[in-house]
Amino acid sequence: MSNKGHDIDDDEIRIISSQSARQAYKPVNAARKRKPLWSVIGMACVVIVAVAIFFLIKGCGVSQQVEEAEYPSVVESPPAELLTDTVASQRENEVVTEAIQPKGHIEMCDTTIAGARLTVYTPVGATPELAIGIDLLADTTVLMAFQAADVRADNGQIVSAFVEHGRLISTGQSKAGFCAIIDGKITLGVADVTQYFEQALNSGGYFFRQYPLVVGNQVVENKPKGRSLRKALAELNGRVVIVVSRNELTFGEFSNAMVDMGVTTAIYLVGSRSYGIVRLSDDDVVEYNLNAGKKYPEYTNFIVWK
């Protein structure tokens, strides 16, 4: 058997051992190698869990903020049908008060224009109508009343056309100015013939005639020239008012003062010492020329606000 380099036969065993090989491969202690690895893995797990908790908490915070933004806090209030005209209730330290609709009332304003001392009464939230008879003095629901149409001295009948709640009381066209009250709305005008007369009859409304004083911001000339205390039913700034003079004036002086004040339309009311009443409040009642001992004609009539 001959040697051929390092070749060996099948029945031979070769043992290789060299110093260089042993130096090139130095096994690392297993325990020392595993310890840093597990330590790194453990730290990584802690970091991952911490990050997950952080984002979970942060995510809940964002969700809560969005929810609060989308659904602002509210204070529950009772259904509207349970609220009365005046509601004051204590609920969770909050007082809930419903706005109260004001009652009808009369506003008063004094002014002086070109020597004419005038008082203007403005009904607010009150219902107008015509009434016949002095019995209204006992009616405390009346906020304001002034004599409306003239009554004849000879027979006590109303002068010109008069309709009370759809009932024809008198006829005639001796005065061109008119007042119609239909469905609670007052219309003032000047016309010898007007559809409002028929409408008042057919709708249960009211109608009467008087001297015209102002039409279209222009003074209407009237024959009476003497001076007296004057009263008028007028349209001022889109509202119907009563104008009363506190000093004696002619028709012309009275009409001119109303035009200067801004009145667009006005008809006369019974003047001089005629009766009138204004309830500004329960404790403040203004009466004009009440004569308790006087016998008033049967058809003494008034324009009334309740």
Side-chain angles (χ1 to χ4, degrees):
M1 179 175 176
S2 60
N3 292 330
K4 296 180 182 179
H6 297 290
D7 294 334
I8 62 173
D9 292 333
D10 294 336
D11 58 351
E12 292 181 329
I13 298 175
R14 177 182 293 172
I15 298 175
I16 300 175
S17 175
S18 67
Q19 185 67 25
S20 61
R22 287 196 296 269
Q23 292 177 349
Y25 176 72
K26 294 182 179 180
V28 179
N29 186 289
R32 292 179 60 191
K33 183 177 181 180
R34 287 193 299 272
K35 184 175 181 180
L37 178 62
W38 285 109
S39 181
V40 171
I41 293 174
M43 292 179 64
C45 290
V46 171
V47 171
I48 291 173
V49 172
V51 171
I53 294 174
F54 172 78
F55 280 105
L56 180 61
I57 294 174
K58 184 178 180 182
C60 291
V62 171
S63 176
Q64 183 178 5
Q65 291 175 0
V66 172
E67 183 178 357
E68 290 176 352
E70 292 178 352
Y71 302 97
S73 61
V74 297
V75 178
E76 187 180 28
S77 59
E81 60 270 16
L82 297 182
L83 293 175
T84 57
D85 288 343
T86 303
V87 177
S89 61
Q90 186 74 29
R91 196 168 53 253
E92 296 182 358
N93 298 324
E94 180 177 356
V95 176
V96 179
T97 303
E98 182 179 335
I100 302 174
Q101 294 297 327
K103 296 180 180 179
H105 63 282
I106 308 297
E107 297 177 351
M108 184 185 76
C109 176
D110 290 330
T111 185
T112 300
I113 300 176
R117 294 185 288 115
L118 308 175
T119 297
V120 180
Y121 294 107
T122 304
V124 179
T127 302
E129 62 183 49
L130 298 181
I132 297 176
I134 203 69
D135 293 342
L136 63 84
L137 294 177
D139 188 350
T140 58
T141 66
V142 172
L143 298 176
M144 181 165 64
F146 283 94
Q147 287 183 239
D150 289 319
V151 176
R152 293 172 61 106
D154 55 352
N155 59 13
Q157 299 296 312
I158 295 174
V159 178
S160 294
F162 193 98
V163 177
E164 180 198 28
H165 199 48
R167 184 167 62 105
L168 181 62
I169 304 300
S170 66
T171 59
Q173 297 176 345
S174 62
K175 297 176 181 179
F178 70 85
C179 167
I181 306 174
I182 299 173
D183 295 329
K185 180 181 178 181
I186 294 180
T187 300
L188 302 179
V190 177
D192 291 332
V193 178
T194 173
Q195 61 180 346
Y196 291 105
F197 176 71
E198 295 292 339
Q199 289 182 18
L201 287 171
N202 296 330
S203 65
Y206 305 87
F207 185 95
F208 76 95
R209 286 189 174 275
Q210 260 293 359
Y211 292 113
L213 298 177
V214 178
V215 177
N217 300 98
Q218 301 295 319
V219 173
V220 177
E221 294 294 336
N222 286 284
K223 293 180 179 180
K225 301 301 180 181
R227 281 185 168 82
S228 181
L229 296 175
R230 305 295 182 183
K231 300 181 181 72
L233 181 63
E235 182 180 352
L236 176 65
N237 299 326
R239 305 173 77 174
V240 174
V241 302
I242 296 288
V243 182
V244 179
S245 73
R246 302 195 305 277
N247 57 328
E248 294 186 346
L249 303 170
T250 65
F251 271 117
E253 291 169 340
F254 187 45
S255 299
N256 275 291
M258 286 193 291
V259 169
D260 292 343
M261 186 169 56
V263 167
T264 55
T265 306
I267 64 172
Y268 194 57
L269 294 178
V270 180
S272 187
R273 302 296 173 180
S274 63
Y275 175 71
I277 184 171
V278 182
R279 286 187 173 89
L280 298 173
S281 69
D282 292 339
D283 301 323
D284 188 3
V285 179
V286 180
E287 290 188 346
Y288 287 85
N289 308 313
L290 174 62
N291 188 343
K294 179 180 178 181
K295 184 177 180 179
Y296 287 87
E298 179 183 357
Y299 287 98
T300 299
N301 59 88
F302 300 85
I303 182 167
V304 175
W305 282 266
K306 293 183 176 181

